[in-house]
Amino acid sequence: MISPGLAIVLSLWVPILGCVAVWLFDKQPNLREAATLITGAVLLFLTITVFMAVGAGERPGYLLIEVIDGLPISFQAEPLGALFAVIASGLWVVNSVYSIGYMRGSNEKHQTRFYMSFAVAISAAMGVAFAANLFTLFIFYEVLTLSTFPLVTHKGDANARRGGRIYLGVLMATSIGLLLPAIVWTYAITGTTEFTVGGIFAQHSDAVAPITGVLLGLYAFGIGKAALMPAHPWLPNAMVAPTPVSAFLHAVAVVKAGVFSILKVVVYIFGIDFLSGSGGGAGASVPFMWIAAISILLASSIAMHKDNLKARLAYSTVSQLSYVTLGAMLATQMGVMGGAMQIAAHALGKMTLFMCAGAIYIAHHKTLVSEMRGMGRIMPFTFGAFILGAMSIIGLPPLAGSWPKFFLMLGSADAGQLAIIAVLMISSILNVIYLLSIPVQAFYLNPAEGDAKPQGANEGGNGGTGIQWGALKEAPILCLLPPLFTATGAFILFFFSGALYNYLKPLIGGG
Amino acid sequence: MGTWMDFILERYNYWVVIILMMIGLYTVFARGNLVKKVVGLNVFQTSVFIFYITIGKIAGGTAPIYIGGELDHGGGHGDDAAGGGHGEAGEHGAEASAHDVSEAAEITESLHGKIDNAVGNAPLNELKDVVSDQAATADNPSLHDAPVGDTAKIGNDALLDVKPEVAPSFDVATDHGEEAAHQVGEAAHAVTEIVYTNPLPHVLILTAIVVGVATTAVGLALAVRIREAYGTIEEDELEAIDDIAEFGAKDTAGGMT
Amino acid sequence: MSLIAQLPVLPVIIPLVLAPITLLLPKGRAPHLWATAVSWLTFASCAWLLMEVSEVGLISYYLGDWAPPLGIEYRIDLANALVLLLVSALAAVVFPFAYESVKAEIDERQSPYFYGALLICMTGLLGVTITGDAFNVFVFLEISSLSTYALIAMGARRDRRALTASFNYLVMGTIGATFFVIGIGLLYQATGTLNMADLHDKLIGQDNRMVQAGFAFILVGVGLKLAMFPMHLWLPNAYAYAPSAVTAFIAATATKVAVYVLIRFFFSVFNFDFPFIGAAFTYVLLPLGLAGMFIASLAAVFQDDVKRMLAYSSVAQIGYMLLGLSFATVEGLTASLVHVFNHALMKGALFMAVACVVLRAGSHSIHAFAGLSKRMPVTTWAFLISGLSLIGVPLTVGFVSKWYLLEAAFAAGHWYAGFLIVASSLIALLYIGRVAEVMLLREPATEGPYAIQEKDAPLSMLIPMWVLVAANIYFGVRTDLTGGLAERAAAALMTVAGGTP
């Protein structure tokens, strides 16, 4: 067993090594993919090591370098970060398997560049997860943005260029324009950017109190990856990327890095107590809570109008991410807990949905919801997984997604914001409409005459690839198993929520 | 005569500087011909040369050429022990007049102290004019032989004409300043027969002249090259040619003009 | 007389004495090798000098053993030791880089003159930095400027607009230098001395109109030299049409040295007891710095010529340095000095990357950059990394600069300036992003004027360029040399100037 401190360091370097290995095996796809998978497995082992240590009460840390006096690049694991790291690295393995199936299935170009960028991105995500201070977090946050840019623009056509421009533009504009000043301002006031249990603003209440709202706003919108409206346009535009990128980065690593950062800032920089009750910044978070609530409803409404499946899922993500922001801005213990659990639950659920979307594309080259009528009968496993994922997102038991909703409602009640409970309920209903309608149509409706035939003709030729078994025409096995796996994960996580709750308890000041 | 007239006439060497400077700058900006621009630049620089010579001039002072036999430090050699002494000799016009003949460093030091006191609001060179005016009454050496070339001579001529009228109230020296200046003057008078113009500005301006000549040379050389490349040295024509080259025939390098 | 005693004069004497020898050498490789050797020697002496200074704190050297204030004094403290190192280091990198680029862009018969002039230019810049005598600053300033005019004009072989650009620079530069001399003259009139330290002592308490006028002339004169907005009009064309290697060198050093002169006069000659110093900070440097940051950045976005774009960006970056100064705090001054250093690294690398493109594509239009990542990947990545540095992405020097500047802004209570700084960085994101997109996502032209063969620049160019790129990253992570020294230098300068007003 290696020490947790070392495991943190290695978790940053292992993906980089993997990246080099991928580059070296440029011409041998099998070795190259093996390198990715091995890297993923090693990384998962490392993060689990850290996760266990943190669960046992340790707080392993590592100081890399002191860039400017008082501003080190340093790492320290705590429950939320360890959880995020395990989710990210675990789902990376799943996603790598899926990527292999997808990328080969669709004969994408530049696959080596694809895997290399992925490895750098995951390293950056680890850096975000384990960052011990805002400065470190910001550095890896930016690396994450830049390393995913080649993935978003993977196709290299005009559409991808446009998407990439918006992606990079929004994310860099918010992070440099808002987040960086917020961090420097914090540093100028407090002289530190360390994440501290209980927050660092409580000791500087006099200086911070008048500008709490401003700072909170800078953080909330500056962390553009959290896609709080109106800083969300990058996310739908990132959907020009290949599906594995959307599935992993834009449902897990990148967006979760965003909401994770918001949670960390609220909990460890502001401090829940500072933002609530008799704290110096009490009430400052309420406007942002409402912005998050509006973001939830608005994004869901937009999602209903999207016929493109990936676009619909993207807006669903915008909506679901705002749950976490909402939880943070409630500034109650249960709210934060709900937000933290939402990170885990939504990751499993949304990844399942994206991988299903990719599987449908690989097998039948269909991207529009309206084209998927009746497809449940030829892709039952895919759509089965889709139903589970959708139910988890909606928050139906016995799936993982139900717990965050529960805690968020508790948090709203604690904060005395009963209207938020109504918002959460309306949102769930909207989710039912725009998510469950897809598999329902797929299973119960007949394929529309007009579009089934020409599409079918395409498929019959060399259009789609995958398994054919009787009437079934599923995606390749490597594209089929991962969504089934994550869907099962969402189911299992439901029963381990108690353990998760206990694990995350230090976050809200509990044992 | 009105005070305004006095004000203008007493400073007329400065007015010359200002007028020349403006003529030069105006030529640079208003003329489209590159050679005229260079000439304008030259006039502008020349005005600054005159300005430097003006501030170094001590009325009645002679060119800083070693004359008598009794001087032992005409500007100071690399004699570190007397570092302070020769430094002041070169730099403080007022002191220089007193100092050149002084054998004892103490006098210098005492003068220095007084001047420093006097400096207050009144700039030193104004004092120095006052001082040297008194000193100059004893002896009135030629002011013509400053070896700085034509420009310097123009400056000196101007000075020669104006100096006799320039009264001790050359500028707004405070009472305190005048008193100190008076003392300095007396001290200077007591010990000196020969007054030297401050040599340092001359040295500086020699350097500046060299720089100016070089600039002119480079500017004219560029004008020649521009004429070879474009066939004209009129600025507006050059711009028109560049515009046509850029927008008419799609030149290699884009950009706005 | 040991060498160490004469060390302070070496950075000026070595290139000054050895430069004319280039003219005697046969055309071709020899002048380049000679100049490179000289630049390395100079760099070594500057590095040595910096080490000495960081131990001793202040070195004073009497030129010809004539004691100040009459004689010329070389006065080296941390601030100018840092700038000396910067200039000589950039020279040491640019000289080896220049060969291939110069061979392609300049008539071979001119090469001895070219390297001679470049060495003289470096001498001038080093002299400006090292000297403690106000008039000497003017002389060296003109030495470097005159050689720069000639160097820029040598770009005429590729584009005749270099001639007019050089002429305009000559006119503006000479006016600036002459203004500076007038200012020096007025100060001399007020104090009777030219030595900076002596000036500082004698100026104390002299808040009269002569000193004010002197200050104003110096501010405008140096402002012209450093292309302070709106006195920057000479700069874009001069940078765009100069030979690429020259642009890389002067963009990285010339304006930086002028900024240093400004700092020197603000803090070491004048002091904060003069009310006009505070007024200049608040009413001149702050608004002009901010205006430069924005207007020049916006102008950069609309340039189709990458060299011009980077030139406008330089004007904007100078705005940052002036802004840092204008806070009149140790933090602000530190930020300025750090940015002087860091900006030289990034702009040097960027202009070198452009030089590589010019070598292969024969143009610095943005069209020549299409699909460059496929044709010249090594150059592309150098451009991208230094471009990110310019934007201020973490782990690069640009980020360190920005951090210091933001911290200074917030600490000085100018929080609005903090937001304007980041807003201006976002404009940098626009113009760098535009080039990056063209390089990465466009297909390279296969025919027509912008077709490039699939061949990266020669190693003699790639290695120096990547040395600078590596410095961009190294000093983005280790700030002991830049930040640490700058902070000490700023504290020392601030003490002389009398603390915050």
Side-chain angles (χ1 to χ4, degrees):
Chain A
M1 208 61 186
I2 56 172
S3 81
L6 185 63
I8 291 181
V9 184
L10 288 177
S11 67
L12 293 166
W13 287 110
V14 162
I16 299 296
L17 287 178
C19 173
V20 174
V22 167
W23 180 64
L24 289 176
F25 295 127
D26 181 22
K27 300 280 181 262
Q28 296 131 296
N30 288 333
L31 282 177
R32 182 183 66 196
E33 263 81 302
T36 298
L37 287 176
I38 292 169
T39 310
V42 173
L43 183 64
L44 181 61
F45 167 74
L46 292 170
T47 52
I48 288 176
T49 309
V50 178
F51 186 80
M52 303 303 268
V54 171
E58 279 185 63
R59 292 291 179 270
Y62 176 74
L63 172 77
L64 183 66
I65 195 172
E66 184 125 353
V67 174
I68 302 171
D69 277 345
L71 283 178
I73 298 182
S74 62
F75 306 97
Q76 190 177 31
E78 43 76 57
L80 193 59
L83 175 68
F84 175 50
V86 167
I87 296 171
S89 55
L91 292 183
W92 186 39
V93 179
V94 178
N95 189 69
S96 298
V97 174
Y98 180 77
S99 296
I100 295 164
Y102 183 91
M103 298 301 275
R104 293 188 177 185
S106 60
N107 283 322
E108 294 275 350
K109 285 184 224 158
H110 307 303
Q111 291 196 25
T112 303
R113 189 181 75 190
F114 177 86
Y115 289 111
M116 284 172 70
S117 301
F118 238 118
V120 176
I122 196 77
S123 171
M126 292 298 119
V128 171
F130 292 132
N133 53 44
L134 272 174
F135 178 67
T136 312
L137 185 123
F138 182 75
I139 289 173
F140 285 97
Y141 182 95
E142 292 292 45
V143 175
L144 188 55
T145 307
L146 292 171
S147 61
T148 47
F149 178 71
L151 295 171
V152 173
T153 56
H154 187 84
K155 288 206 174 71
D157 54 13
N159 215 2
R161 271 208 296 274
R162 186 178 156 277
R165 212 180 293 151
I166 295 172
Y167 180 81
L168 205 60
V170 173
L171 286 183
M172 294 284 269
T174 50
S175 68
I176 292 181
L178 303 173
L179 180 57
L180 180 60
I183 294 174
V184 180
W185 208 343
T186 304
Y187 180 71
I189 291 173
T190 63
T192 177
T193 64
E194 290 296 314
F195 292 122
T196 313
V197 176
I200 56 174
F201 281 166
Q203 292 94 341
H204 302 85
S205 193
D206 292 340
V208 180
I211 53 167
T212 313
V214 178
L215 275 176
L216 203 56
L218 289 176
Y219 280 116
F221 294 112
I223 300 172
K225 290 192 170 76
L228 185 63
M229 281 185 172
H232 71 283
W234 65 271
L235 187 52
N237 278 291
M239 293 302 142
V240 295
T243 306
V245 176
S246 308
F248 181 59
L249 293 174
H250 304 120
V252 183
V254 172
V255 290
K256 291 306 181 294
V259 287
F260 166 80
S261 305
I262 285 197
L263 264 185
K264 272 205 108 151
V265 166
V266 168
V267 174
Y268 292 119
I269 296 293
F270 284 87
I272 304 176
D273 293 339
F274 180 75
L275 286 176
S276 63
S278 56
S285 63
V286 175
F288 302 103
M289 182 192 76
W290 280 108
I291 292 172
I294 293 167
S295 194
I296 290 173
L297 293 182
L298 214 55
S300 289
S301 318
I302 296 172
M304 286 207 287
H305 296 285
K306 293 289 173 187
D307 193 27
N308 185 305
L309 181 55
K310 277 176 78 179
R312 185 178 285 195
L313 293 179
Y315 274 101
S316 164
T317 307
V318 173
S319 166
Q320 294 288 318
L321 290 173
S322 293
Y323 278 71
V324 184
T325 310
L326 177 75
M329 294 303 172
L330 282 171
T332 58
Q333 297 188 343
M334 287 304 131
V336 169
M337 183 56 79
M341 290 179 107
Q342 168 79 353
I343 290 181
H346 177 251
L348 286 169
K350 191 50 68 63
M351 191 156 160
T352 309
L353 297 185
F354 268 113
M355 289 196 289
C356 290
I360 297 166
Y361 175 75
I362 286 291
H364 298 281
H365 284 255
K366 286 186 176 169
T367 55
L368 299 182
V369 174
S370 54
E371 295 171 348
M372 293 177 190
R373 268 173 272 178
M375 299 241 326
R377 291 171 215 169
I378 45 176
M379 299 185 78
F381 294 105
T382 305
F383 277 95
F386 195 99
I387 288 179
L388 283 179
M391 281 168 65
S392 178
I393 299 288
I394 293 161
L396 297 176
L399 288 152
S402 55
W403 286 112
K405 270 59 173 191
F406 173 71
F407 281 113
L408 282 176
M409 288 187 186
L410 276 183
S412 310
D414 283 351
Q417 303 284 358
L418 297 182
I420 296 294
I421 298 180
V423 168
L424 293 172
M425 285 162 65
I426 297 170
S427 170
S428 283
I429 294 169
L430 292 175
N431 289 347
V432 171
I433 298 171
Y434 70 78
L435 284 179
L436 273 188
S437 63
I438 300 167
V440 167
Q441 289 178 10
F443 278 116
Y444 291 103
L445 292 184
N446 287 321
E449 289 296 321
D451 53 41
K453 287 301 170 193
Q455 288 289 331
N458 264 340
E459 293 156 28
N462 47 18
T465 45
I467 311 164
Q468 302 221 14
W469 188 41
L472 299 186
K473 188 166 182 299
E474 280 281 7
I477 191 80
L478 288 182
C479 285
L480 182 59
L481 285 182
L484 289 173
F485 179 81
T486 50
T488 319
F491 179 70
I492 294 171
L493 187 63
F494 176 81
F495 299 100
F496 287 90
S497 294
L500 191 60
Y501 178 82
N502 285 328
Y503 186 83
L504 289 172
K505 236 179 172 177
L507 200 62
I508 55 174
Chain B
M1 200 150 41
T3 45
W4 272 105
M5 282 305 284
D6 289 342
F7 184 81
I8 293 169
L9 286 179
E10 282 162 9
R11 291 166 179 75
Y12 100 94
N13 41 349
Y14 289 95
W15 289 110
V16 170
V17 168
I18 291 169
I19 291 165
L20 275 180
M21 194 181 283
M22 290 305 118
I23 290 174
L25 271 181
Y26 179 79
T27 313
V28 172
F29 291 125
R31 295 290 151 190
N33 185 299
L34 299 189
V35 173
K36 288 183 182 168
K37 273 179 187 288
V38 174
V39 171
L41 213 51
N42 226 323
V43 173
F44 174 52
Q45 287 182 305
T46 305
S47 73
V48 179
F49 304 159
I50 298 175
F51 167 68
Y52 264 72
I53 292 161
T54 296
I55 63 178
K57 179 62 190 168
I58 296 162
T62 181
I65 300 168
Y66 175 76
I67 297 172
E70 73 272 35
L71 301 178
D72 61 349
H73 47 217
H77 289 284
D79 175 5
D80 277 349
H86 68 234
E88 279 139 21
E91 284 182 314
H92 304 287
E95 265 169 77
S97 62
H99 177 65
D100 280 338
V101 264
S102 76
E103 254 115 59
E106 294 93 298
I107 297 174
T108 313
E109 288 307 321
S110 69
L111 288 178
H112 187 196
K114 281 168 189 159
I115 288 174
D116 275 357
N117 279 340
V119 171
N121 289 327
L124 196 53
N125 80 305
E126 292 161 1
L127 276 177
K128 145 181 98 196
D129 282 326
V130 174
V131 171
S132 31
D133 216 55
Q134 297 196 349
T137 48
D139 186 287
N140 198 5
S142 164
L143 297 175
H144 273 286
D145 38 10
V148 200
D150 285 340
T151 47
K153 277 208 182 100
I154 293 168
N156 274 346
D157 285 340
L159 283 168
L160 179 61
D161 290 349
V162 75
K163 275 308 164 191
E165 282 93 47
V166 175
S169 61
F170 182 70
D171 208 330
V172 287
T174 59
D175 291 345
H176 181 61
E178 258 176 312
E179 184 190 295
H182 192 64
Q183 288 170 0
V184 172
E186 273 178 356
H189 196 85
V191 291
T192 186
E193 293 291 308
I194 305 161
V195 176
Y196 289 110
T197 287
N198 183 357
L200 193 63
H202 292 221
V203 178
L204 298 180
I205 233 53
L206 272 174
T207 319
I209 288 170
V210 173
V211 171
V213 168
T215 311
T216 310
V218 174
L220 291 176
L222 278 173
V224 171
R225 289 281 281 112
I226 289 172
R227 159 109 193 163
E228 282 172 7
Y230 287 84
T232 176
I233 49 166
E234 293 296 327
E235 201 172 33
D236 42 0
E237 290 173 25
L238 291 172
E239 271 173 27
I241 293 171
D242 276 342
D243 276 355
I244 291 166
E246 190 164 337
F247 301 113
K250 289 219 168 153
D251 201 281
T252 45
M256 310 189 308
T257 18
Chain C
M1 200 182 282
S2 69
L3 188 62
I4 178 109
Q6 306 301 326
L7 174 64
V9 81
L10 290 184
V12 176
I13 285 294
I14 292 174
L16 189 64
V17 170
L18 300 185
I21 296 176
T22 19
L23 304 186
L24 306 175
L25 296 171
K27 293 151 189 59
R29 192 96 222 203
H32 168 254
L33 288 176
W34 176 251
T36 306
V38 173
S39 71
W40 287 1
L41 210 55
T42 312
F43 173 60
S45 67
C46 286
W48 189 6
L49 195 57
L50 178 67
M51 279 191 286
E52 287 290 320
V53 171
S54 76
E55 272 173 32
V56 187
L58 178 80
I59 293 180
S60 177
Y61 176 87
Y62 302 160
L63 208 64
D65 221 10
W66 291 72
L70 185 64
I72 291 170
E73 181 194 14
Y74 280 4
R75 198 178 169 87
I76 305 119
D77 60 10
L78 279 174
N80 52 0
L82 194 66
V83 181
L84 283 176
L85 182 79
L86 175 73
V87 173
S88 59
L90 257 301
V93 176
V94 170
F95 272 98
F97 173 87
Y99 183 70
E100 294 282 344
S101 172
V102 167
K103 204 169 75 176
E105 291 180 35
I106 290 175
D107 194 335
E108 202 195 0
R109 283 171 302 164
Q110 287 185 328
S111 68
Y113 306 106
F114 176 86
Y115 291 110
L118 203 54
L119 276 178
I120 293 291
C121 177
M122 177 183 82
T123 312
L125 295 173
L126 291 170
V128 170
T129 315
I130 207 168
T131 188
D133 184 278
F135 197 82
N136 212 223
V137 169
F138 160 73
V139 175
F140 278 121
L141 210 53
E142 284 308 86
I143 289 178
S144 75
S145 296
L146 282 168
S147 45
T148 310
Y149 307 146
L151 287 168
I152 291 172
M154 285 190 200
R157 183 160 175 249
R158 255 181 38 74
D159 192 328
R160 61 183 176 180
R161 278 174 289 185
L163 295 170
T164 43
S166 172
F167 189 86
N168 283 333
Y169 183 21
L170 178 130
V171 170
M172 302 287 254
T174 306
I175 291 175
T178 312
F179 268 51
F180 182 72
V181 172
I182 297 172
I184 299 290
L186 288 166
L187 293 188
Y188 176 73
Q189 211 171 1
T191 60
T193 182
L194 290 169
N195 182 282
M196 289 187 193
D198 204 30
L199 268 172
H200 178 260
D201 294 340
K202 297 219 166 93
L203 276 172
I204 288 173
Q206 283 209 54
D207 184 21
N208 54 46
R209 215 180 288 172
M210 185 158 26
V211 175
Q212 287 166 5
F215 171 75
F217 272 112
I218 289 173
L219 180 61
V220 174
V222 181
L224 266 165
K225 286 279 180 192
L226 62 75
M228 181 196 292
F229 182 88
M231 294 180 273
H232 66 279
L233 295 172
W234 57 269
L235 187 142
N237 276 337
Y239 281 15
Y241 302 123
S244 302
V246 173
T247 308
F249 182 64
I250 59 173
T253 54
T255 48
K256 310 297 172 297
V257 168
V259 170
Y260 159 78
V261 171
L262 199 65
I263 291 177
R264 183 57 81 191
F265 271 86
F266 266 101
F267 290 89
S268 296
V269 173
F270 295 95
N271 61 66
F272 286 163
D273 292 335
F274 292 105
F276 56 77
I277 294 285
F281 281 141
T282 319
Y283 300 116
V284 180
L285 294 192
L286 183 72
L288 289 186
L290 286 173
M293 273 160 53
F294 274 92
I295 298 172
S297 294
L298 281 175
V301 176
F302 296 103
Q303 301 301 322
D304 280 336
D305 180 329
V306 177
K307 251 173 140 182
R308 270 174 78 91
M309 180 196 92
L310 292 175
Y312 273 108
S313 152
S314 279
V315 177
Q317 299 288 320
I318 286 160
Y320 289 114
M321 298 167 205
L322 298 179
L323 187 67
L325 273 186
S326 74
F327 297 143
T329 59
V330 175
E331 290 92 349
L333 189 52
T334 309
S336 267
L337 284 173
V338 167
H339 196 51
V340 162
F341 191 93
N342 290 348
H343 179 244
L345 295 182
M346 38 190 161
K347 264 300 150 51
L350 279 169
F351 275 118
M352 282 170 142
V354 176
C356 292
V357 178
V358 173
L359 179 73
R360 289 290 181 239
S363 165
H364 36 82
S365 160
I366 196 164
H367 304 296
F369 284 71
L372 203 69
S373 62
K374 299 185 183 70
R375 296 296 157 103
M376 304 172 67
V378 188
T379 305
T380 304
W381 280 100
F383 188 95
L384 282 181
I385 294 175
S386 22
L388 290 175
S389 186
L390 190 67
I391 298 167
V393 169
L395 302 179
T396 62
V397 288
F399 179 70
V400 174
S401 288
K402 219 133 279 176
W403 182 279
Y404 272 110
L405 206 55
L406 283 175
E407 196 195 330
F410 282 115
H414 291 287
W415 54 267
Y416 61 89
F419 287 99
L420 294 174
I421 291 165
V422 291
S424 146
S425 322
L426 292 176
I427 308 180
L429 175 65
L430 276 182
Y431 58 74
I432 293 292
R434 185 163 158 244
V435 182
E437 195 188 293
V438 168
M439 288 196 297
L440 292 173
L441 299 175
R442 290 277 156 80
E443 286 304 315
T446 45
E447 52 190 17
Y450 302 119
I452 317 174
Q453 70 236 70
E454 191 164 345
K455 188 174 159 197
D456 222 311
L459 274 183
S460 72
M461 295 175 81
L462 290 181
I463 292 172
M465 176 167 68
W466 274 92
V467 166
L468 272 196
V469 173
N472 265 294
I473 294 170
Y474 178 80
F475 290 113
V477 186
R478 302 302 299 257
T479 58
D480 318 5
L481 180 62
T482 54
L485 273 187
E487 213 164 332
R488 280 168 62 197
L493 284 170
M494 200 55 88
T495 317
V496 175
T500 46

